[in-house]
Amino acid sequence: MASCEMVVPHDERYDMPTNIWKSAISYGRAAGRTTEPSPQRSPVIFQAGSSGRGRAFAARHAEGVFLKAPTLEVLRDQVQDIRRQAQAFGRDPEAVKVFNGLSVIVAPTREEALHKQAEFKSYQSAEATLLSYYSVTGIDLTALDPDSIFENIKGVSRLPAHHPGASYRVNGASS
């Protein structure tokens, strides 16, 4: 079995990059290696995710943020929140560029595109969604109580050792 590493709790993940950069900068200065800061202050940062903590991180640090929203209204609210927070952090709100995930169905006519959309939707299933999530995270959602809080998940990946998600352990559980 692959060695296990602790998955860092969601909100704590957003503190890690800035702490790593601060350490690297301090180390470089101590070693006599100094360079002028780049126009974006640090390595170019892209944030993916629209949680409250993710939006705060993007507003404070990111040059770009990838968002995915179920409606234009939700997307608008997320973007407005990021821009408002960026301004509160003393940044130009327009300095944070937003990239929205989008799936496009094309066909010669609207009718054909709608037919393709209906066909694609016919292939959707709860099982496929659960399998897709499992293949990325190693977490079997079917083994969980659907009424439990997602942050309290405990379990070990059951993925093969060669899978990228296999080295993760959730909230300290062991095999």
Side-chain angles (χ1 to χ4, degrees):
M1 173 169 254
S3 65
C4 292
E5 298 173 30
M6 181 68 135
V7 173
V8 177
H10 180 271
D11 285 357
E12 291 178 30
R13 290 180 219 152
Y14 293 99
D15 295 329
M16 294 175 68
T18 53
N19 292 337
I20 291 168
W21 295 319
K22 287 177 188 174
S23 296
I25 291 167
S26 295
Y27 175 79
R29 286 186 182 142
R33 296 182 194 113
T34 58
T35 59
E36 292 299 314
S38 62
Q40 71 272 2
R41 305 163 337 277
S42 64
V44 176
I45 301 170
F46 285 88
Q47 158 60 15
S50 56
S51 70
R53 185 64 200 262
R55 289 193 310 270
F57 181 90
R60 182 182 291 258
H61 301 289
E63 281 66 53
V65 59
F66 295 102
L67 297 174
K68 186 175 179 185
T71 67
L72 287 175
E73 293 77 19
V74 171
L75 179 64
R76 181 200 62 226
D77 293 346
Q78 291 174 352
V79 172
Q80 287 176 347
D81 180 51
I82 291 168
R83 300 226 189 278
R84 179 190 54 75
Q85 289 188 64
Q87 188 164 25
F89 289 127
R91 295 184 66 198
D92 174 0
E94 299 300 318
V96 182
K97 303 304 179 202
V98 175
F99 301 87
N100 182 42
L102 178 66
S103 297
V104 178
I105 298 172
V106 295
T109 67
R110 177 175 174 76
E111 182 179 293
E112 289 173 284
L114 291 172
H115 178 75
K116 275 187 179 182
Q117 180 184 29
E119 182 182 358
F120 291 151
K121 285 184 176 184
S122 75
Y123 298 125
Q124 291 178 331
S125 71
E127 293 81 9
T129 301
L130 291 166
L131 183 59
S132 176
Y133 187 83
Y134 176 76
S135 72
V136 172
T137 68
I139 298 171
D140 180 5
L141 295 176
T142 64
L144 303 176
D145 175 0
D147 295 323
S148 67
I149 297 173
F150 197 73
E151 291 178 339
N152 294 328
I153 294 173
K154 294 186 191 250
V156 176
S157 167
R158 295 184 202 119
L159 293 173
H162 65 275
H163 189 282
S167 63
Y168 295 105
R169 182 169 56 169
V170 180
N171 290 341
S174 59
S175 57

